[in-house]
Amino acid sequence: MLILSIFPSSCFCSDHPSVSDYNVEWDSPSENAAGSMPIGNGEVGANFWVEPSGDMVFYISRTDAWSETGELYKLGRIRVSTQPSITSSDDFCQTLDLENGRIHLRGAGMDLNFFIDSESNTLYLSGTSKEPVQTTVKAEVWRTKEESADWMRSISGCPDRQLFKIFPDHIMNEKDAIMIYHHNCQSSYNAILDVQGIQIDDRASYDPFKDRCFGFRIQGTGMRKLNSQQLRTSAPTTNIDICIPTFSGIFHNATKRAEEFRKLTANPESAGTAMKRTAEFWNEFWNRSYIYVQTPDDDQTFRINSSYILQRWIQAGAGRGNYPIKFNGTIFCVDPPLTQAGANSSPDYRLWGGDYWWQNTRLNYHPMLKSGDYDMMKPLFEHYFRNLPMMKALAKALTGVDGALSPETATVFGTYCYNDYTQLGDSGNKFANNPYIRYHWDSSVEMISLMLDYYDYTNDKEFVSSRLVPYAREMLKFYKNFYGRDSEGKLFISPTQALETYWKDVENDMPTVAGMRDIMPRLLALPENLSTAEDIALWKEMNEIMPELPTMKKDGKTQFAPAEHFNSARNNVENPRLYPIFPFHLCNISTDNLQIGIDSYWNRENNVDDFGWSQDGQEAARLGLTDEAVRLLDAHTKNSNPHFRFKAIWGPNYDWTPDQDHGASLLMTLQEMVLQTWDGKDYLLPAFPKEWGVKYKLHSYAGRVVEGEYNWKKKCSHNFVDGVCTECGMKNLKSYWYEVSTPSQLIDISNFVNAGNYDINIRLTADIDMSGISYFPPIGTQIYPNGPMLHYGGTFDGQGHIICNLSIDKDVDGAETGLFGRLDGATIKNLGIVNATIKNASALRAGVLAGCCTGYSTITNCFTTGDIVMKDCICKYNHTNGDGLIGLISDATVKSCYTTHDTLGDAENSTVDNCYCGEEAREGAPTGELCYKLNGDQRNIVWYQNLGEDAYPVLNAERGTIVLNKDGGYETITSIKNNTANEENGSIYNLQGQKVEKPAKGIYIINGKKRLCERSASGLRK
């Protein structure tokens, strides 16, 4: 192995970052599985949490626990309790020890470790207690009876309702052990083959479901059986030693099953031996590769590094099994109600089911090349190669030609899943009835390209001859035999489609053409002895008949096109035109067509996504668009699901949590910013900010390891004063405030944000009058489709001040418009906007305060009033044309705000609380009702108003406080001047601070607080 150490630019005496710096540590228990830590050995996984009672609870999962219907089941849930409990004292601590691959628990004198052996599929909970404890283990089962189920997407639409079954688990009668397993007594396999007309020689040899059994055995030192599902120590002890081997496989012989299960779970290693080798495995894993960045913001630095590390942890926890990583939750998804409000299925449920979706699945594997995780790539290749005979039979059944057809969405065994093939009913068309994937077959060329990448990195010639060449042979046969030729003899690829986005009248789609033009020269460059003469002839023929990359002209610029010909109606939000950039190698920083790629990127059809399976981050990096790559990387690290405690639980986005597409894209974006390799040449830091620092160790072609550092500064202890370090001058953007008091400063700060400083904190120190300025550039101006996708994500505190006479009277094509263009992860508070003219003819969202508020942003105590003019606002996204506060509120919170405009803003998946608009605001303002309502329960007065003087509520404490009088009307308590009221019991003062001996009915200060009082027969009554 060649190790290439490179230290570009200026280097500094550096400290040594470690994966242990990013251990996850909790000092309190969790309510449920939303507070679980994921842990796995590659084949077996667990979600582990400790409840307030002290119960240690975990789900067990495997990558091959396939049910009768093709769903990926959990094995079960285990509950371990001790008396006394680990939470019975206030020193509880739960740590994910990344370096050693374990969860370490401390509390009440106990010191425990939970881990999964790196070599066997066995879970351990072991350790000691200073005082003897009684330990109980319980296996909790939810599959307890045969019942119908409608959520099994893999076979939805199937007329045979007998296949929609959940079967109960089996509990074996074991001495001083618990053994539970699930047996697939039937299979959906034959029904799926029958409806698709697939004939293979020996159906039974391919069925992955029938007679599959998966389960676990629980045993513990000194533990005796209480009942079929519980063990308990026979006496309190200072040692805790619980061992849970798992198993999964096909067991056709019913009489020998129990015997086979016992063999699989017999004689597990001691906890000490297993823990030592597990630590060795994880130490080697973390030393394979790493990236540590330093940014000007400590919080951002930690967020990026921890996101990268924890995503690799999740991938490694599920990446060495018998099947590829599931994109929709991997093996670490938990109870549906914790992920999606209103969901009410068992822990076995996952959105989009158990089938494999190529575009989602492969995203997990591209970043494994640079991280050197080649052992985790093999399950993907083996899975698709194992299904090659089925894909050949599918091609024959559907098209009648030789070769293999790879569906975009496929069952575990390689056919269309029942849901997609019959989704719209039997129309007589042999192809899939689901139009999203009917002719979506380009996964085969993508797989060949990824296999070639694997060879480039590993130089594994045996892999080429035994896997790559046979797979490429059958897939390219299909393209040669199925598609015709055009008048020039070139391959004419139709019927086809450009991903799931363009369905109709598509010819020579970009993903297929780009894939073919990527793989054909690389296949021809393979050593001749790794292919047959017939193979080489096929490679040459296909290379010669490939059509050119589709291009189009826009604004006088040549750009990539989604296809050579296509109907422009879009059905999804992918960007097929960008496939020459990713996943293929045809346009990047090293190619002559780089500018075409850049122009295509800024004009891509769909650029609203910085989450999920969006590929924008790695594409921006491959094009050298540093600011854009940074923006997308930062946005990805903030996509943590707020309902989950573990911060690398992404999503659900388009799919399920944890969203593996999102995490994989995050990994790839950062890797491509640091290292790219084209035509065997390494390009260092091709899209890396010059003001950042980085330490890295990554893998490249032919076994090269590239490691080095750039701009890495020795860690400063940081003595921050007013947000600026007195030692190194670094600004802590979480505590540093940019203060704004003039129109020019407001414009400057907007331009500063739009230059890429998205997360800075801003506060107003004065009211600002924007009169005479016809165009203010919105803060976070996100422009579609040919400009930067910007946003604002910091904290903006108006401190009760107003911005008046704001004017955005200019068309900016594709811009979301308002004082803020787009808010993403931002906090906006205590701000008023009076008199505003907002113009937006770009068919996007517009609002006075913000065009779009998303990314879990929060807006509190803000208002817009006065003359509000919304000009030419023509939103095409089914939202109102222009809103007085916000154009679109999505995944955000808006509280205690108002606008006198007719509409507040369209809200989806958001919380809008105590907010007012239109007549309710306009009529309630003069009377004081609106001001009173905005203050909620009146415990925290923020809104003020002098009735008769102020036309609307303001955030200025020098104005009056609105109170509700005994007649149900509203009154103003004016400001208290020279109030010297003390806490003397019974003392009563008027609002001028003068002591009153015999008060009449009115507002007084009693014990330092305002009170509405009146006279009664018994004296003063409050």
Side-chain angles (χ1 to χ4, degrees), residues 561-694:
E564 184 176 315
H565 179 76
F566 62 101
N567 185 309
S568 61
R570 284 185 280 161
N571 302 285
N572 207 334
V573 290
E574 304 147 315
N575 290 300
R577 67 159 68 192
L578 300 184
Y579 266 51
I581 306 165
F582 178 85
F584 302 120
H585 304 173
L586 304 179
C587 179
N588 51 66
I589 57 170
S590 74
T591 59
D592 294 336
N593 59 1
L594 174 60
Q595 190 59 49
I596 294 177
I598 291 173
D599 292 337
S600 302
Y601 180 88
W602 291 126
N603 285 278
R604 61 199 187 281
E605 296 90 336
N606 303 290
N607 61 358
V608 298
D609 299 330
D610 51 18
F611 56 85
W613 43 248
S614 169
Q615 303 172 169
D616 293 7
Q618 54 266 39
E619 289 163 348
R622 287 188 173 188
L623 296 171
L625 302 174
T626 301
D627 290 346
E628 178 73 348
V630 168
R631 181 189 73 80
L632 290 162
L633 173 66
D634 192 63
H636 270 68
T637 65
K638 294 177 180 177
N639 189 247
S640 180
N641 190 305
H643 303 298
F644 285 77
R645 196 172 184 182
F646 194 77
K647 294 307 179 184
I649 302 297
W650 318 112
N653 301 324
Y654 301 112
D655 301 316
W656 206 230
T657 56
D659 176 2
Q660 292 309 283
D661 289 338
H662 183 94
S665 181
L666 184 157
L667 296 181
M668 211 178 325
T669 298
L670 183 56
Q671 289 176 351
E672 298 289 323
M673 291 168 62
V674 174
L675 172 68
Q676 295 178 35
T677 304
W678 305 116
D679 293 329
K681 181 180 179 181
D682 295 326
Y683 294 80
L684 296 173
L685 309 179
F688 197 80
K690 63 181 180 180
E691 67 274 14
W692 286 18
V694 63

Side-chain angles (χ1 to χ4, degrees), residues 61-94:
S61 53
R62 287 183 59 110
T63 66
D64 54 0
W66 298 108
S67 75
E68 300 89 342
T69 61
E71 303 296 324
L72 192 61
Y73 275 3
K74 300 287 188 190
L75 273 64
R77 181 173 55 232
I78 311 300
R79 182 176 298 272
V80 181
S81 58
T82 62
Q83 291 297 328
S85 76
I86 198 169
T87 57
S88 59
S89 62
D90 59 5
D91 61 345
F92 171 78
C93 184
Q94 175 179 335

Side-chain angles (χ1 to χ4, degrees), residues 531-588:
S531 306
T532 67
E534 291 79 9
D535 293 329
I536 295 172
L538 177 61
W539 309 158
K540 289 180 178 179
E541 179 182 359
M542 296 300 289
N543 188 50
E544 291 172 357
I545 63 175
M546 276 301 104
E548 296 298 322
L549 290 180
T551 59
M552 59 194 296
K553 285 281 189 179
K554 184 175 182 181
D555 300 328
K557 298 178 180 179
T558 300
Q559 299 173 23
F560 295 127
E564 184 176 315
H565 179 76
F566 62 101
N567 185 309
S568 61
R570 284 185 280 161
N571 302 285
N572 207 334
V573 290
E574 304 147 315
N575 290 300
R577 67 159 68 192
L578 300 184
Y579 266 51
I581 306 165
F582 178 85
F584 302 120
H585 304 173
L586 304 179
C587 179
N588 51 66

Side-chain angles (χ1 to χ4, degrees), residues 457-473:
Y457 277 77
T458 64
N459 203 29
D460 185 345
K461 293 182 173 58
E462 194 280 331
F463 171 80
V464 173
S465 58
S466 67
R467 294 293 184 266
L468 168 56
V469 168
Y471 184 89
R473 178 190 304 140

Side-chain angles (χ1 to χ4, degrees), residues 972-991:
T972 299
I973 300 177
T974 57
S975 301
I976 304 172
K977 299 178 181 178
N978 303 317
N979 180 17
T980 59
N982 56 31
E983 294 300 321
E984 180 185 349
N985 186 32
S987 297
I988 302 173
Y989 297 82
N990 63 23
L991 297 181

